[in-house]
Amino acid sequence: MGTLKVTNLCKTYIINKRQNNVLRNINLTIKDGEMVGVMGPSGSGKTTLLYTVSGMDSATAGKIDFFGRELTGLSANEMSQLRLEKMGFVFQQMYMLKNLSVYDNIILPAYQSPAGAHRSGREKINERAKMLMHKLGISTIAENDITEVSGGQLQRACICRSMINSPEIIFADEPTGALNKQNSIEVMEELNRINAEGTSILLVTHDMKVASKCERVLYIEDGDIREEITLGKWKATGDIRARERMLNDWLIKLGW
Ligand SMILES: Nc1ncnc2c1ncn2[C@@H]1O[C@H](COP(=O)(O)OP(=O)(O)OP(=O)(O)O)[C@@H](O)[C@H]1O
Ligand SMILES: [Mg+2]
């Protein structure tokens, strides 16, 4: 069973009548509970891949099967419902609402879901939000406006929000991009923990240390998956140096 199965996916942008084939015939399967990293040069199509497979942007051609449902045929409403309930997003422009507190931003996707329509559902959501914030160490900033927190705290708040509806899969675009080393390690520990609990993750990164904690890493070039490497599930007791070396050698070979 695969969480996500992408077949012959193409994405073309047209600007001033010039055609830009950003994704060319992508074939990709994310297995249940798998954590897959995506690397590749700037402009190679990594962000576009996340947007397209999650239905945030339309595909030009190809199929996207998500738990047996074909996404390319869904209406905008069906798609946003599915995104809300089954997918989590940790993106660089984080779509946090500036006039709301950290806490309100985190619970927002859940209040928009069916559970948010009645009081007992909202009570459960509040409990879950508190539990997630506690786990990610941001309980003390719950009432801060999102403009009043550090980059690492904001990134962790974003992870809480992506998890509030217990998604099947999390899409993360450079989730550690704006972070220092320590914050980056913490965010990855969190993503690894979430993944160990069964949530699939598709994560774009430029950081080799981040990618080395993924189960499998894809290398995208010119909108095409050129190669992939399987590192296996990361465990805290594992040999991270050996994984980094393996990944580094692979990337050098690919001319990264
Ligand atoms: N909305 C858009 N409209 C038109 N062209 C776009 C759009 N989004 C991206 N592109 C183009 O698609 C190509 C791939 O962009 P994308 O953002 O997917 O790259 P990326 O691999 O994520 O790069 P980076 O590592 O710099 O984030 C680029 O040539 C970009 O200019
Ligand atoms: Mg990008």
Side-chain angles (χ1 to χ4, degrees), residues 6 8-13 19-28 38 43-54 57-62 64 220-225:
V6 175
N8 300 333
L9 180 70
C10 298
K11 177 69 188 176
T12 300
Y13 286 117
Q19 203 172 305
N20 187 0
N21 301 317
V22 178
L23 299 178
R24 309 160 187 251
N25 226 41
I26 298 269
N27 287 289
L28 166 66
V38 181
S44 57
K46 303 180 297 296
T47 296
T48 305
L49 179 68
L50 287 199
Y51 272 82
T52 313
V53 298
S54 61
D57 202 349
S58 64
T60 306
I64 304 161
I220 296 210
E221 207 171 60
D222 272 336
D224 197 15
I225 299 176

Side-chain angles (χ1 to χ4, degrees), residues 120-246:
S120 68
R122 287 196 293 273
E123 279 165 9
K124 285 211 182 77
I125 291 165
N126 289 332
E127 272 168 39
R128 180 165 168 79
K130 282 179 192 146
M131 180 276 287
L132 287 169
M133 292 185 79
H134 178 72
K135 263 174 117 180
L136 278 112
I138 54 169
S139 303
T140 55
I141 56 153
E143 294 314 320
N144 289 40
D145 191 276
I146 59 137
T147 55
E148 302 165 341
V149 300
S150 76
Q153 289 168 333
L154 189 60
Q155 209 76 326
R156 280 178 280 162
C158 203
I159 293 177
C160 286
R161 192 189 49 176
S162 77
M163 294 194 59
I164 192 75
N165 289 337
S166 307
E168 301 286 354
I169 187 166
I170 290 180
F171 297 99
D173 194 2
E174 298 181 35
T176 63
L179 305 183
N180 66 24
K181 199 173 156 200
Q182 189 50 36
N183 281 332
S184 167
I185 289 171
E186 284 165 16
V187 162
M188 276 315 282
E189 277 176 1
E190 224 36 66
L191 288 174
N192 281 127
R193 188 174 315 157
I194 292 160
N195 175 248
E197 288 167 2
T199 307
S200 305
I201 297 179
L202 184 60
L203 172 162
V204 170
T205 185
H206 283 109
D207 186 337
M208 210 199 56
K209 287 192 187 313
V210 167
S212 67
K213 289 180 173 166
C214 293
E215 206 169 332
R216 187 155 64 98
V217 182
L218 314 174
Y219 191 83
I220 296 210
E221 207 171 60
D222 272 336
D224 197 15
I225 299 176
R226 185 170 148 199
E227 265 195 51
E228 63 169 71
I229 186 170
T230 299
L231 299 170
K233 253 297 177 241
W234 161 246
K235 293 192 194 73
T237 53
D239 183 353
I240 193 65
R241 293 269 157 71
R243 290 170 77 100
E244 285 174 11
R245 263 200 310 276
M246 210 169 138

